[in-house]
Amino acid sequence: MTAKVALVTGGGSGIGRAISHRLAADGYATAVLDLNAASAKTVVEEILENGYTAAAFGDVDVSDRSQVDAAVESVRDSLGAVSVLVNNAGITGFKKFGHITDEVWERTLAINLSGPFYACQAVVPDMTKAGWGRIVNISSSSAQGGQQFMTHYVASKAGLVGFTKSLALELGPSGITVNTIPPGFVDTPMLRGSERDGLLGGSVDEHADRTPVRRAGKPEDIAAACSFLCSEEAGYITGQIIGVNGGRNT
Ligand code: NAP
């Protein structure tokens, strides 16, 4: 039997890297797509060393529909039609509301919200044809409670939550589930970058001490939830927000 194909955007780093590893270990031929070609290639080399199947698709900006379409076409040619899509690529941002420029606002929405829109439109026809598909959108716990100085970021992620719920209703009859995982405080290069820039209001360790489970999240925590949502067993779960945040948001 040919392996099903999973496509992970932003698969070269942090949460996307862990999801790529996990889905490959679950038996999916995994397409690791990233703007950063070197990191996508490294993740694929790691997966291949572990004896699983993967291919890198680097230099792809998810905010550009033509690049997304071309990448999905390459995935089809090299691995096969996509059965699982994880929209994980994203950028963060901290700015006082009055300092958010049009450019920053539009770039944030283009990557965090239009990116998933383009990727879904590119893969849904194949999933519909197969009568089976799994889409997982990585949003953010900040969209559950709001976050000061992140209006643009939170708006993009809250948009992704609404996008998930609506698309789930439309695609359910086609055998396709659509869910979102809003991570909270996961130890990745993105989080450490924010810590370095003094934007967290304390260190990662200080925040971990205030988190109910008393630790920061690991990328593998998100990957485990994602693996389940992509499984056969999760076929009755759709349109849901599955928080993975150590109890920081309930
Ligand atoms: P990360 O370590 O920065 O990884 C993000 C990956 O996405 C990077 O490889 C990045 O490439 C890539 N990327 C950025 N812009 C892209 C674009 N336009 N097209 C394609 N790829 C692009 O971040 P992370 O912490 O793993 O975050 C992953 C997702 O989880 C994001 O959507 C983030 O908003 C969400 N999230 C994370 C946390 C957390 O605590 N870490 C919390 C809530 C939500 P470059 O290396 O070139 O930048």
Side-chain angles (χ1 to χ4, degrees):
M1 198 177 111
T2 317
K4 279 186 175 157
V5 175
L7 169 59
V8 183
T9 72
S13 175
I15 292 170
R17 173 177 174 271
I19 292 172
S20 298
H21 273 281
R22 177 65 193 251
L23 293 180
D26 287 347
Y28 290 98
T30 302
V32 180
L33 180 152
D34 207 289
L35 189 57
N36 186 327
S39 65
K41 185 166 169 276
T42 301
V43 171
V44 166
E45 284 166 0
E46 293 166 356
I47 291 173
L48 296 177
E49 263 172 39
N50 290 338
Y52 304 120
T53 306
F57 300 86
D59 290 321
V60 182
D61 184 341
V62 295
S63 70
D64 182 327
R65 183 193 280 280
S66 61
Q67 291 187 32
V68 172
D69 285 347
V72 168
E73 196 54 50
S74 304
V75 173
R76 250 186 229 116
D77 288 346
S78 54
L79 297 176
V82 174
S83 303
V84 167
L85 169 66
V86 182
N87 282 306
N88 162 81
I91 55 168
T92 187
F94 289 79
K95 276 194 189 300
K96 283 191 174 169
F97 180 64
H99 295 170
I100 300 170
T101 61
D102 291 356
E103 195 190 0
V104 166
W105 175 266
E106 279 154 20
R107 184 80 188 131
T108 305
L109 267 86
I111 295 172
N112 294 357
L113 187 53
S114 300
F117 166 56
Y118 300 146
C120 285
Q121 282 201 330
V123 304
V124 161
D126 283 343
M127 292 180 179
T128 305
K129 198 168 157 205
W132 195 94
R134 299 282 185 262
I135 297 172
V136 179
N137 296 319
I138 306 299
S139 52
S140 169
S141 62
S142 63
Q144 294 171 281
Q147 187 70 46
Q148 63 179 351
F149 310 134
M150 297 187 84
T151 310
H152 49 324
Y153 176 79
V154 174
S156 71
K157 294 297 191 177
L160 190 54
V161 172
F163 174 92
T164 300
K165 292 184 178 191
S166 302
L167 193 59
L169 301 182
E170 204 167 320
L171 298 183
S174 305
I176 303 165
T177 66
V178 191
N179 293 289
T180 182
I181 300 174
F185 216 69
V186 182
D187 198 346
T188 67
M190 181 187 276
L191 187 74
R192 290 292 172 178
S194 300
E195 180 187 46
R196 245 189 336 270
D197 295 341
L199 298 168
L200 294 184
S203 68
V204 169
D205 286 348
E206 284 163 354
H207 278 283
D209 285 346
R210 290 197 293 271
T211 297
V213 304
R214 297 290 187 272
R215 67 170 174 86
K218 294 178 286 185
E220 291 74 19
D221 294 322
I222 311 302
C226 188
S227 167
F228 176 64
L229 289 175
C230 294
S231 71
E232 197 60 49
E233 284 175 299
Y236 200 53
I237 303 174
T238 196
Q240 302 303 312
I241 304 170
I242 309 295
V244 183
N245 57 44
R248 294 166 60 89
N249 294 79
T250 57

PDB file of all heavy atoms in Angstrom, residues 211-238:
ATOM      1  N   THR A 211       2.961  28.226  35.319  1.00  0.00           N
ATOM      2  CA  THR A 211       2.088  27.385  34.493  1.00  0.00           C
ATOM      3  C   THR A 211       1.576  26.220  35.343  1.00  0.00           C
ATOM      4  O   THR A 211       2.351  25.629  36.103  1.00  0.00           O
ATOM      5  CB  THR A 211       2.893  26.857  33.272  1.00  0.00           C
ATOM      6  OG1 THR A 211       3.294  27.991  32.499  1.00  0.00           O
ATOM      7  CG2 THR A 211       2.086  25.909  32.420  1.00  0.00           C
ATOM      8  N   PRO A 212       0.271  25.899  35.279  1.00  0.00           N
ATOM      9  CA  PRO A 212      -0.256  24.829  36.134  1.00  0.00           C
ATOM     10  C   PRO A 212       0.573  23.541  36.122  1.00  0.00           C
ATOM     11  O   PRO A 212       0.785  22.951  37.174  1.00  0.00           O
ATOM     12  CB  PRO A 212      -1.677  24.624  35.583  1.00  0.00           C
ATOM     13  CG  PRO A 212      -2.058  26.002  35.133  1.00  0.00           C
ATOM     14  CD  PRO A 212      -0.802  26.603  34.539  1.00  0.00           C
ATOM     15  N   VAL A 213       1.070  23.091  34.964  1.00  0.00           N
ATOM     16  CA  VAL A 213       1.839  21.829  34.968  1.00  0.00           C
ATOM     17  C   VAL A 213       3.322  22.080  35.262  1.00  0.00           C
ATOM     18  O   VAL A 213       4.123  21.148  35.249  1.00  0.00           O
ATOM     19  CB  VAL A 213       1.681  21.015  33.654  1.00  0.00           C
ATOM     20  CG1 VAL A 213       0.220  20.718  33.371  1.00  0.00           C
ATOM     21  CG2 VAL A 213       2.329  21.727  32.478  1.00  0.00           C
ATOM     22  N   ARG A 214       3.670  23.339  35.558  1.00  0.00           N
ATOM     23  CA  ARG A 214       5.029  23.719  36.004  1.00  0.00           C
ATOM     24  C   ARG A 214       6.136  23.394  35.013  1.00  0.00           C
ATOM     25  O   ARG A 214       7.228  22.995  35.392  1.00  0.00           O
ATOM     26  CB  ARG A 214       5.358  23.069  37.361  1.00  0.00           C
ATOM     27  CG  ARG A 214       4.454  23.523  38.501  1.00  0.00           C
ATOM     28  CD  ARG A 214       4.737  24.986  38.880  1.00  0.00           C
ATOM     29  NE  ARG A 214       4.006  25.387  40.075  1.00  0.00           N
ATOM     30  CZ  ARG A 214       2.766  25.887  40.080  1.00  0.00           C
ATOM     31  NH1 ARG A 214       2.104  26.064  38.948  1.00  0.00           N
ATOM     32  NH2 ARG A 214       2.187  26.237  41.214  1.00  0.00           N
ATOM     33  N   ARG A 215       5.848  23.585  33.753  1.00  0.00           N
ATOM     34  CA  ARG A 215       6.915  23.510  32.757  1.00  0.00           C
ATOM     35  C   ARG A 215       6.447  24.218  31.504  1.00  0.00           C
ATOM     36  O   ARG A 215       5.239  24.458  31.327  1.00  0.00           O
ATOM     37  CB  ARG A 215       7.305  22.061  32.443  1.00  0.00           C
ATOM     38  CG  ARG A 215       6.233  21.234  31.738  1.00  0.00           C
ATOM     39  CD  ARG A 215       6.823  19.897  31.268  1.00  0.00           C
ATOM     40  NE  ARG A 215       5.834  18.992  30.698  1.00  0.00           N
ATOM     41  CZ  ARG A 215       5.423  18.990  29.423  1.00  0.00           C
ATOM     42  NH1 ARG A 215       5.879  19.896  28.556  1.00  0.00           N
ATOM     43  NH2 ARG A 215       4.535  18.101  28.998  1.00  0.00           N
ATOM     44  N   ALA A 216       7.407  24.556  30.632  1.00  0.00           N
ATOM     45  CA  ALA A 216       7.039  25.073  29.311  1.00  0.00           C
ATOM     46  C   ALA A 216       6.632  23.888  28.450  1.00  0.00           C
ATOM     47  O   ALA A 216       6.992  22.738  28.738  1.00  0.00           O
ATOM     48  CB  ALA A 216       8.236  25.781  28.682  1.00  0.00           C
ATOM     49  N   GLY A 217       5.873  24.168  27.405  1.00  0.00           N
ATOM     50  CA  GLY A 217       5.501  23.099  26.482  1.00  0.00           C
ATOM     51  C   GLY A 217       6.695  22.671  25.648  1.00  0.00           C
ATOM     52  O   GLY A 217       7.640  23.437  25.445  1.00  0.00           O
ATOM     53  N   LYS A 218       6.643  21.422  25.196  1.00  0.00           N
ATOM     54  CA  LYS A 218       7.659  20.933  24.261  1.00  0.00           C
ATOM     55  C   LYS A 218       6.987  20.825  22.890  1.00  0.00           C
ATOM     56  O   LYS A 218       5.785  20.500  22.822  1.00  0.00           O
ATOM     57  CB  LYS A 218       8.137  19.532  24.680  1.00  0.00           C
ATOM     58  CG  LYS A 218       8.882  19.508  26.009  1.00  0.00           C
ATOM     59  CD  LYS A 218       9.278  18.093  26.388  1.00  0.00           C
ATOM     60  CE  LYS A 218       8.067  17.319  26.852  1.00  0.00           C
ATOM     61  NZ  LYS A 218       8.266  15.998  27.345  1.00  0.00           N
ATOM     62  N   PRO A 219       7.728  21.047  21.825  1.00  0.00           N
ATOM     63  CA  PRO A 219       7.123  20.878  20.489  1.00  0.00           C
ATOM     64  C   PRO A 219       6.458  19.512  20.336  1.00  0.00           C
ATOM     65  O   PRO A 219       5.418  19.380  19.698  1.00  0.00           O
ATOM     66  CB  PRO A 219       8.333  21.021  19.543  1.00  0.00           C
ATOM     67  CG  PRO A 219       9.271  21.914  20.290  1.00  0.00           C
ATOM     68  CD  PRO A 219       9.125  21.545  21.741  1.00  0.00           C
ATOM     69  N   GLU A 220       7.023  18.505  21.014  1.00  0.00           N
ATOM     70  CA  GLU A 220       6.465  17.140  20.915  1.00  0.00           C
ATOM     71  C   GLU A 220       5.068  17.058  21.546  1.00  0.00           C
ATOM     72  O   GLU A 220       4.273  16.174  21.195  1.00  0.00           O
ATOM     73  CB  GLU A 220       7.396  16.131  21.602  1.00  0.00           C
ATOM     74  CG  GLU A 220       8.727  15.910  20.882  1.00  0.00           C
ATOM     75  CD  GLU A 220       9.717  17.063  21.018  1.00  0.00           C
ATOM     76  OE1 GLU A 220       9.548  17.891  21.947  1.00  0.00           O
ATOM     77  OE2 GLU A 220      10.638  17.145  20.184  1.00  0.00           O
ATOM     78  N   ASP A 221       4.758  17.948  22.503  1.00  0.00           N
ATOM     79  CA  ASP A 221       3.403  17.969  23.083  1.00  0.00           C
ATOM     80  C   ASP A 221       2.379  18.320  22.007  1.00  0.00           C
ATOM     81  O   ASP A 221       1.279  17.752  21.956  1.00  0.00           O
ATOM     82  CB  ASP A 221       3.307  19.023  24.204  1.00  0.00           C
ATOM     83  CG  ASP A 221       4.157  18.687  25.413  1.00  0.00           C
ATOM     84  OD1 ASP A 221       4.243  17.509  25.779  1.00  0.00           O
ATOM     85  OD2 ASP A 221       4.747  19.628  26.001  1.00  0.00           O
ATOM     86  N   ILE A 222       2.734  19.270  21.168  1.00  0.00           N
ATOM     87  CA  ILE A 222       1.810  19.685  20.098  1.00  0.00           C
ATOM     88  C   ILE A 222       1.746  18.583  19.040  1.00  0.00           C
ATOM     89  O   ILE A 222       0.675  18.252  18.516  1.00  0.00           O
ATOM     90  CB  ILE A 222       2.287  21.007  19.439  1.00  0.00           C
ATOM     91  CG1 ILE A 222       2.628  22.061  20.496  1.00  0.00           C
ATOM     92  CG2 ILE A 222       1.239  21.513  18.445  1.00  0.00           C
ATOM     93  CD1 ILE A 222       1.520  22.424  21.434  1.00  0.00           C
ATOM     94  N   ALA A 223       2.912  17.987  18.765  1.00  0.00           N
ATOM     95  CA  ALA A 223       2.968  16.939  17.732  1.00  0.00           C
ATOM     96  C   ALA A 223       2.098  15.744  18.120  1.00  0.00           C
ATOM     97  O   ALA A 223       1.448  15.129  17.260  1.00  0.00           O
ATOM     98  CB  ALA A 223       4.413  16.507  17.511  1.00  0.00           C
ATOM     99  N   ALA A 224       2.065  15.417  19.415  1.00  0.00           N
ATOM    100  CA  ALA A 224       1.269  14.264  19.865  1.00  0.00           C
ATOM    101  C   ALA A 224      -0.218  14.510  19.620  1.00  0.00           C
ATOM    102  O   ALA A 224      -0.945  13.627  19.139  1.00  0.00           O
ATOM    103  CB  ALA A 224       1.532  13.999  21.344  1.00  0.00           C
ATOM    104  N   ALA A 225      -0.686  15.717  19.956  1.00  0.00           N
ATOM    105  CA  ALA A 225      -2.104  16.049  19.729  1.00  0.00           C
ATOM    106  C   ALA A 225      -2.409  16.059  18.232  1.00  0.00           C
ATOM    107  O   ALA A 225      -3.463  15.573  17.791  1.00  0.00           O
ATOM    108  CB  ALA A 225      -2.424  17.410  20.348  1.00  0.00           C
ATOM    109  N   CYS A 226      -1.468  16.573  17.473  1.00  0.00           N
ATOM    110  CA  CYS A 226      -1.656  16.652  16.021  1.00  0.00           C
ATOM    111  C   CYS A 226      -1.737  15.246  15.424  1.00  0.00           C
ATOM    112  O   CYS A 226      -2.593  14.963  14.573  1.00  0.00           O
ATOM    113  CB  CYS A 226      -0.477  17.430  15.429  1.00  0.00           C
ATOM    114  SG  CYS A 226      -0.684  17.809  13.714  1.00  0.00           S
ATOM    115  N   SER A 227      -0.872  14.367  15.904  1.00  0.00           N
ATOM    116  CA  SER A 227      -0.862  12.972  15.427  1.00  0.00           C
ATOM    117  C   SER A 227      -2.240  12.343  15.649  1.00  0.00           C
ATOM    118  O   SER A 227      -2.793  11.683  14.755  1.00  0.00           O
ATOM    119  CB  SER A 227       0.219  12.202  16.189  1.00  0.00           C
ATOM    120  OG  SER A 227       0.069  10.824  15.998  1.00  0.00           O
ATOM    121  N   PHE A 228      -2.802  12.568  16.834  1.00  0.00           N
ATOM    122  CA  PHE A 228      -4.115  11.985  17.119  1.00  0.00           C
ATOM    123  C   PHE A 228      -5.182  12.567  16.190  1.00  0.00           C
ATOM    124  O   PHE A 228      -5.991  11.831  15.606  1.00  0.00           O
ATOM    125  CB  PHE A 228      -4.509  12.194  18.584  1.00  0.00           C
ATOM    126  CG  PHE A 228      -5.892  11.690  18.873  1.00  0.00           C
ATOM    127  CD1 PHE A 228      -6.190  10.337  18.748  1.00  0.00           C
ATOM    128  CD2 PHE A 228      -6.919  12.563  19.218  1.00  0.00           C
ATOM    129  CE1 PHE A 228      -7.478   9.854  18.964  1.00  0.00           C
ATOM    130  CE2 PHE A 228      -8.204  12.086  19.430  1.00  0.00           C
ATOM    131  CZ  PHE A 228      -8.488  10.734  19.306  1.00  0.00           C
ATOM    132  N   LEU A 229      -5.167  13.885  16.019  1.00  0.00           N
ATOM    133  CA  LEU A 229      -6.193  14.509  15.165  1.00  0.00           C
ATOM    134  C   LEU A 229      -6.090  14.034  13.717  1.00  0.00           C
ATOM    135  O   LEU A 229      -7.066  14.081  12.976  1.00  0.00           O
ATOM    136  CB  LEU A 229      -6.068  16.040  15.227  1.00  0.00           C
ATOM    137  CG  LEU A 229      -6.501  16.681  16.545  1.00  0.00           C
ATOM    138  CD1 LEU A 229      -6.219  18.178  16.535  1.00  0.00           C
ATOM    139  CD2 LEU A 229      -7.993  16.431  16.812  1.00  0.00           C
ATOM    140  N   CYS A 230      -4.887  13.585  13.322  1.00  0.00           N
ATOM    141  CA  CYS A 230      -4.700  13.115  11.942  1.00  0.00           C
ATOM    142  C   CYS A 230      -5.003  11.620  11.798  1.00  0.00           C
ATOM    143  O   CYS A 230      -4.995  11.086  10.695  1.00  0.00           O
ATOM    144  CB  CYS A 230      -3.256  13.382  11.487  1.00  0.00           C
ATOM    145  SG  CYS A 230      -2.893  15.141  11.360  1.00  0.00           S
ATOM    146  N   SER A 231      -5.282  10.958  12.907  1.00  0.00           N
ATOM    147  CA  SER A 231      -5.473   9.507  12.865  1.00  0.00           C
ATOM    148  C   SER A 231      -6.883   9.147  12.401  1.00  0.00           C
ATOM    149  O   SER A 231      -7.788   9.984  12.391  1.00  0.00           O
ATOM    150  CB  SER A 231      -5.219   8.908  14.251  1.00  0.00           C
ATOM    151  OG  SER A 231      -6.275   9.279  15.117  1.00  0.00           O
ATOM    152  N   GLU A 232      -7.040   7.876  12.062  1.00  0.00           N
ATOM    153  CA  GLU A 232      -8.345   7.346  11.667  1.00  0.00           C
ATOM    154  C   GLU A 232      -9.344   7.502  12.819  1.00  0.00           C
ATOM    155  O   GLU A 232     -10.508   7.850  12.625  1.00  0.00           O
ATOM    156  CB  GLU A 232      -8.158   5.863  11.310  1.00  0.00           C
ATOM    157  CG  GLU A 232      -9.282   5.268  10.505  1.00  0.00           C
ATOM    158  CD  GLU A 232      -9.495   5.973   9.167  1.00  0.00           C
ATOM    159  OE1 GLU A 232      -8.507   6.185   8.429  1.00  0.00           O
ATOM    160  OE2 GLU A 232     -10.654   6.324   8.885  1.00  0.00           O
ATOM    161  N   GLU A 233      -8.835   7.233  14.037  1.00  0.00           N
ATOM    162  CA  GLU A 233      -9.687   7.256  15.238  1.00  0.00           C
ATOM    163  C   GLU A 233     -10.325   8.607  15.511  1.00  0.00           C
ATOM    164  O   GLU A 233     -11.316   8.698  16.230  1.00  0.00           O
ATOM    165  CB  GLU A 233      -8.840   6.909  16.476  1.00  0.00           C
ATOM    166  CG  GLU A 233      -8.497   5.471  16.638  1.00  0.00           C
ATOM    167  CD  GLU A 233      -7.571   5.296  17.823  1.00  0.00           C
ATOM    168  OE1 GLU A 233      -6.463   5.874  17.794  1.00  0.00           O
ATOM    169  OE2 GLU A 233      -7.946   4.597  18.761  1.00  0.00           O
ATOM    170  N   ALA A 234      -9.718   9.673  14.983  1.00  0.00           N
ATOM    171  CA  ALA A 234     -10.210  11.022  15.284  1.00  0.00           C
ATOM    172  C   ALA A 234     -11.252  11.503  14.278  1.00  0.00           C
ATOM    173  O   ALA A 234     -11.555  12.693  14.218  1.00  0.00           O
ATOM    174  CB  ALA A 234      -9.028  12.000  15.336  1.00  0.00           C
ATOM    175  N   GLY A 235     -11.820  10.557  13.531  1.00  0.00           N
ATOM    176  CA  GLY A 235     -12.742  10.935  12.456  1.00  0.00           C
ATOM    177  C   GLY A 235     -14.033  11.617  12.901  1.00  0.00           C
ATOM    178  O   GLY A 235     -14.720  12.227  12.091  1.00  0.00           O
ATOM    179  N   TYR A 236     -14.371  11.529  14.205  1.00  0.00           N
ATOM    180  CA  TYR A 236     -15.612  12.160  14.684  1.00  0.00           C
ATOM    181  C   TYR A 236     -15.305  13.500  15.345  1.00  0.00           C
ATOM    182  O   TYR A 236     -16.175  14.134  15.918  1.00  0.00           O
ATOM    183  CB  TYR A 236     -16.309  11.209  15.671  1.00  0.00           C
ATOM    184  CG  TYR A 236     -17.783  11.499  15.874  1.00  0.00           C
ATOM    185  CD1 TYR A 236     -18.665  11.605  14.799  1.00  0.00           C
ATOM    186  CD2 TYR A 236     -18.308  11.655  17.165  1.00  0.00           C
ATOM    187  CE1 TYR A 236     -20.007  11.869  15.001  1.00  0.00           C
ATOM    188  CE2 TYR A 236     -19.657  11.914  17.370  1.00  0.00           C
ATOM    189  CZ  TYR A 236     -20.504  12.015  16.277  1.00  0.00           C
ATOM    190  OH  TYR A 236     -21.834  12.279  16.476  1.00  0.00           O
ATOM    191  N   ILE A 237     -14.050  13.908  15.289  1.00  0.00           N
ATOM    192  CA  ILE A 237     -13.639  15.200  15.877  1.00  0.00           C
ATOM    193  C   ILE A 237     -13.404  16.182  14.745  1.00  0.00           C
ATOM    194  O   ILE A 237     -12.475  16.018  13.951  1.00  0.00           O
ATOM    195  CB  ILE A 237     -12.331  15.043  16.691  1.00  0.00           C
ATOM    196  CG1 ILE A 237     -12.498  13.996  17.789  1.00  0.00           C
ATOM    197  CG2 ILE A 237     -11.897  16.392  17.270  1.00  0.00           C
ATOM    198  CD1 ILE A 237     -11.213  13.675  18.536  1.00  0.00           C
ATOM    199  N   THR A 238     -14.244  17.192  14.632  1.00  0.00           N
ATOM    200  CA  THR A 238     -14.006  18.215  13.611  1.00  0.00           C
ATOM    201  C   THR A 238     -14.566  19.558  14.057  1.00  0.00           C
ATOM    202  O   THR A 238     -15.513  19.617  14.838  1.00  0.00           O
ATOM    203  CB  THR A 238     -14.561  17.777  12.231  1.00  0.00           C
ATOM    204  OG1 THR A 238     -13.962  18.634  11.234  1.00  0.00           O
ATOM    205  CG2 THR A 238     -16.080  17.853  12.140  1.00  0.00           C
TER     206      THR A 238
END
